[in-house]
Amino acid sequence: MDKKLLDILACPICKSSLVYDKNNQELICKADRLAFPIRDDIPVMLEDEARELTDEEIDALNI
């Protein structure tokens, strides 16, 4: 994930910053507890494509 792109991307729902999860190829919004997938190096920033994160996943991210 390009650092410059990550700096300008925001959650499409709450507009908060996102955290890149390299292992799962996802952008994480901790405020909304959502993970947006990255497919073919392109972030898919659609609410319908995001998955909800569990408490364990949020804790494991350590963010």
Side-chain angles (χ1 to χ4, degrees):
M1 171 62 49
D2 182 21
K3 173 82 170 111
K4 291 179 185 178
L5 180 60
L6 186 57
D7 287 342
I8 62 171
L9 284 176
C11 175
I13 301 160
C14 70
K15 310 302 184 228
S16 66
S17 60
L18 300 168
V19 177
Y20 177 49
D21 180 0
K22 186 176 182 176
N23 292 334
N24 294 320
Q25 289 295 294
E26 295 175 321
L27 292 173
I28 306 296
C29 176
K30 188 173 180 184
D32 290 322
R33 303 171 60 91
L34 293 173
F36 296 92
I38 300 172
R39 297 187 187 125
D40 298 322
D41 294 328
I42 299 170
V44 180
M45 305 301 294
L46 301 172
E47 185 175 0
D48 293 342
E49 293 289 325
R51 68 178 183 87
E52 291 187 31
L53 296 172
T54 65
D55 290 336
E56 293 79 22
E57 289 176 306
I58 292 287
D59 291 341
L61 288 172
N62 201 19
I63 53 175

